[in-house]
Each structure stands twice: as structure tokens, then as C-alpha cells.
Amino acid sequence: MPAFPRGVATYYETSGGERVDIDPAVVETVLSLLGPPAVPPAAAPVAPAGPLPEVPRTWGWMLQLYGLRSAGSWGVGDFADLAAFTRWARSTGAGAILVNPLHAVAPVDPLPASPYSPSSRRFVNPLYLRITDLPEYRDAPPALRAAVDALRPLSSPDGLIDYDGAWRAKHAALTLLAPPAGASFADRSSLTDFAVYCALVADHGPDWRTWPTELQRPGAAAYAVADPSAVAFHTWLQRRCAEQLAVANAAAEGMAVGIIHDLAVGIDPGGADAWTLQDVIAPGAKVGAPPDAFNQQGQDWGLATWSPDRLADTGYTAWRTLLREIFRHAGGLRVDHVAGLWRLWWVPPGQSPAQGTYVYYDDAAMLGILVEEAKLAGAVVVGEDLGTVEDVVTTTLQDRNILGSAVLWFTRDDDGRFLPPGDWPHNALASISTHDLPTAGGFLSGEHVLARAEAGVLTRDVKVEWAAFSKERTLLLDLLDAEGLTGPDSTDEEIVLAMHQLLLRTPCRIVLASPYDVLGEPRQPNLPGTTSQYPNWRIPLPLSLEDLTVDARMKQIADLFNA
């Protein structure tokens, strides 16, 4: 890292090597967000020596858990569905299951849908609880069970995931089943802080920055006004979440890797973690990305993040605790935007994304703690390093045996042609697509062009987009033909199978398939750049869990990967 003042970049280089100087006023503003420097400067923790153990070569599935619905779930996939799918996958020879972030969102109506904008990354979304697996339900008298059963929501008329309906029904059922609360709650802890935040949300809304001044920090005042029964309720929810997650994790016993959780890059600045961890969160800063050819105004993700100085001053305790909590119930961790362990693009309050700059972190400390905690848990780590990242990120991940990410749509040479499978990276997790990219069927049909045109987010004329898509499709077919996997008369279904065969020919340590690809779903889970114009995070799998696990196409992929 260049010698920037307190790690705040005064310039950066684009992917093409062009130097971009940062407005000095922006640098000064970002420096002010860091707060006063530590006196004396905090010492970084001594990083553990050696890399993680080599990841075993295996295959598995990537899931959007909310979309994995069964006869027993209430309109949205849940922890019991995850356990059932994992048991089935293990029985077919799979060694890994990657799930979307399960982080807690604010307990409000309407319920936030995006798993990548969490209220807390340390706690879990109780939307995923299986009501009928709760001991309080099993032990309830028949009349109470009948009352709970009657709350089960009907299917959404548009066929999409109805988060609000599912949460209203589950919240009502959980309220009926919750054990009676005492007159007071336990001594202060991270869980109690989180539960107090959730309790205060009911009276003051989900953004703590709008609360009365005396409640804007966790402490005696907040504890004094929080409803003890609500605090007990949210504490109970998290304990039941941990129990059901443990059952799902136990279902992966014997798998090469097991369940890989996903860590979002930041948090809601008005949410629970931003309230309880104010001492280590950068006040007012939001993270995003600088302008580039595809986003000429830059990107503001609206997420809060760590203050590097404050994190160091506290010995990185919050970072270590976060990792330890996730690894309790995981065989692995995917770190979204892993380059953020080195630097993040900060957008000052009231400014556009173009008026930001990079802030650097102590990557040796951040990465060292990640490796140490993964070793203690016996877990693998995957870094999402797609797009433009500094060379040091790629080389360090390789040195530490942290898997990178290799996605078919992005794995190309300097001329834009798809790489043959033998040239894919060895130390990587390979897949056809991701949640933010077209599904296999969607790519072949041009659904991603149609969706962006209908949403009004195209940056070029639609005719230019269709021409570009046609070229991309041809490039893909050229590669598959050159590998002997398709011919001139291949159907789209045969081409999708050939894409999976291509993955199998790569040297990547983990190869993942998505049921969205295998079952022919044309719509991608999330369309970046959209909000209400597209059903982001609301698209279910086209088959129920019961039908999915006996589907011939799923078995075909399992047999292929096992070979």
C-alpha cells in the first residue's frame, strides 16, 4: 500500500492502469470520519504462520435458501429445508452446500428482502425458523397447535416469495409459542444488546439514528425502557435459530466441506450492529465502488463498515467474534467482496459515489484473524474476488489456501474469449453463475437483456445489447464445441449440461451447481441496479424440495459430478 495518510487514498489506479487523483477535500472529509488517531497507535495482532490446509476437491450445490420451499415450510425455505436438502445432497455424494447470507434483518413489516443488507451479521434471521420443529410447538396442547397451524400462510398469488406474509404468520405463531418472560432480563451481553435493539424497533422504528438521543447508544437508558418481554422474545428466537442451524450443520456430517455460509460486506447503518458496535463502526461512511466503464457514477451500496483505526484499537475483537459466531455452525465461509479486507471505497455523508476514496485496512491482521478462526473451526474459506481486484489480493489468497471465485461468465482471456477449462485457476470455487448474474437458461435465451430493458437499467441501446448478447452466446458455444461437448444441433438443455461438464474439467477445488440452472429457471435471483422494477430475492425454485430431490435433471448432475 502506498504511504497514504492514515490509509486514506489520495489517488487510485483504474483497471486499465490510469491514475485518478482524489479531490483533497474528499480526503480531508474521509480523514475526519476516522476520528482522532490512537495515542499511542494500536499494535496489530501477531498473524498466524502458514496457510489453511488444502481444500479437498469436491462438488456441491449453491442455494438461495428462501427459494427452497417444501411441504413443511411456510412460504419460504427454512432451516429444516436446509437440513433436508443437505441430507439428500450428502447421500448423492455432494461435499459442499453454499447458502445465501442468513444474517438478521430488522424485525419490521415490510420485512427487508435483501440478504446482503443485514441489520446484524452476528445474528440470524428468524424468518428461517421451522415453526413445527420448535419444542414449544411439539409440547403444546392440541388447541394451541391448532391455533398455530391455522396461521400458516397461503401461497402467494403471483408465485413469488412473500416475505411479509411469511413473517407476519411466523411472528404471530412465535408470539403464541414463546415461553412467558420474567420481569427483567439477563445481564448485558452481545445477544441481549441485539434483543434490546429489536425490542426498541417496535416503538421507535428500525433506524436507531432517529431514536431519542438517550437511546442512541446501548446502555442503561436503553435497557431501562426496553420491554422485558420483547427482549426475552428476541433472545429466545436467536437461541432457537442456533439450535435449528446446528441440526442443519449436523446433517452435513461426513461431507468433505459441509455448509458454507456467506458473509455480507457491510451492514445497515441504522441497524442492530451499527447500534451495538458504534465504537468500531465508521460513523457516516457508506461503502461502494468508484466510477468505472459500467457504472460511470460509481456505486453507493448504502452499507456501513468498520473503522480501521477503531477496530485496531480494540484488538479486532468485533471481527474475531463475528467470525467465531458464524463458524460455530458452518463448514466454510464465503467472504463477499473479499478485497474489502484490504481496502473499501468510502462515500462520505451527502456525497455521490464519485466523491469518495479508498480506505485501507491492516490486511495482515484482518486476514490473519480470518485464517486463525477458520483453522480453529476446521473450516474452508472462499473469497469472492470477481471483477477488478489488486494483484496482492489474488496472490495472498493463493498463499493462504483461501479459494478464489471462478465464474464461467467472467473466466476469460485478455481478448474477452472464454477460457478453456484447463486454464481455470486451481485454488478456486467454480460455478456457472452467481446470484447477481444470469442463470444458465437465462443467458442462453437472453432473459437478462429482456429483464434489464424492462427495468430500464440498460446503459446502451437495446439493439446494441442484443448484438452483444449474440456475440457472447456464440463465444460460449465456440468453447463448448471446441471441447467436444456440444454440436450444431444441441438443444439449450444439452448446452446447459455441457456447461456443467465444462466445470468438471477445470482444476478448481470445489465445483458448485445451482438448482436454478439445472431446473431451467430463466430469471436470476437478483438484478443489480434495480429495486421495485424486478422481483429481487423473491424468485423461488421451480420445484418443491420434495420434487427437486427426485428430479431426473438433479440426479443427472449428481451422477456427472460424482464421475
Side-chain angles (χ1 to χ4, degrees), residues 175-405:
T175 301
L176 288 176
L177 294 170
S184 62
F185 38 84
D187 293 338
R188 183 174 176 182
S189 67
S190 59
L191 174 55
T192 313
D193 276 357
F194 172 76
V196 167
Y197 165 84
C198 293
L200 293 174
V201 163
D203 294 324
H204 301 288
D207 189 341
W208 62 268
R209 296 168 298 180
T210 66
W211 294 356
T213 303
E214 66 274 14
L215 303 181
Q216 289 186 5
R217 292 191 72 89
Y223 272 53
V225 301
D227 180 357
S229 62
V231 174
F233 176 74
H234 289 286
T235 302
W236 170 69
L237 290 185
Q238 288 304 310
R239 288 174 176 158
R240 291 293 179 251
C241 283
E243 291 167 0
Q244 293 194 5
L245 259 182
V247 172
N249 202 44
E253 187 71 30
M255 296 177 80
V257 174
I259 298 175
I260 303 173
H261 287 236
D262 201 351
L263 178 66
V265 67
I267 54 174
D268 177 356
D273 280 358
W275 183 68
T276 60
L277 297 174
Q278 290 179 56
D279 290 341
V280 292
I281 299 297
K286 292 184 290 184
V287 296
D292 59 27
F294 298 100
N295 295 279
Q296 296 180 6
Q297 301 302 314
Q299 299 178 62
D300 180 352
W301 300 333
L303 301 174
T305 189
W306 310 115
S307 165
D309 288 0
R310 297 181 184 183
L311 201 58
D313 291 347
T314 56
Y316 295 85
T317 299
W319 172 234
R320 187 183 295 278
T321 301
L322 167 62
L323 295 172
R324 193 164 290 180
E325 283 298 313
I326 295 176
F327 281 133
R328 284 174 56 204
H329 303 299
L333 180 65
R334 174 189 180 270
V335 181
D336 191 42
H337 192 63
V338 72
L341 301 184
W342 279 260
R343 66 177 187 177
L344 281 171
W345 184 261
W346 282 23
V347 181
Q351 300 298 320
S352 72
Q355 296 171 304
T357 189
Y358 280 112
V359 174
Y360 283 78
Y361 293 77
D362 187 335
D363 56 279
M366 297 290 285
L367 202 64
I369 292 169
L370 174 59
V371 169
E372 182 180 2
E373 292 301 323
K375 280 185 175 181
L376 289 172
V380 305
V381 179
V382 180
E384 186 274 291
D385 58 346
L386 301 173
T388 302
V389 299
E390 295 178 297
D391 290 340
V392 66
V393 175
T394 303
T395 56
T396 306
L397 294 182
Q398 297 289 326
D399 292 343
R400 292 300 188 97
N401 263 343
I402 295 175
L403 300 187
S405 298

Side-chain angles (χ1 to χ4, degrees), residues 415-463:
D415 295 323
R417 292 172 298 200
F418 291 98
L419 283 179
D423 292 342
W424 284 41
H426 169 86
N427 223 35
L429 180 151
S431 63
I432 291 173
S433 188
T434 74
H435 55 268
D436 285 335
L437 296 171
T439 63
F443 176 85
L444 293 174
S445 66
E447 173 67 23
H448 56 302
V449 180
L450 287 172
R452 288 183 294 145
E454 291 176 357
V457 295
L458 288 178
T459 58
R460 303 182 292 189
D461 184 82
V462 68
K463 292 181 180 179

Side-chain angles (χ1 to χ4, degrees), residues 150-193:
L151 292 168
R152 182 172 180 170
L154 300 174
S155 298
S156 174
D158 58 9
L160 298 174
I161 303 293
D162 180 7
Y163 289 95
D164 301 335
W167 177 238
R168 289 179 197 130
K170 288 194 175 185
H171 186 268
L174 291 164
T175 301
L176 288 176
L177 294 170
S184 62
F185 38 84
D187 293 338
R188 183 174 176 182
S189 67
S190 59
L191 174 55
T192 313
D193 276 357

Side-chain angles (χ1 to χ4, degrees), residues 58-60 86-87 89-90 93-97 251-259:
T58 190
W59 70 275
T86 301
R87 283 190 289 270
R90 184 187 63 188
I97 306 290
E253 187 71 30
M255 296 177 80
V257 174
I259 298 175

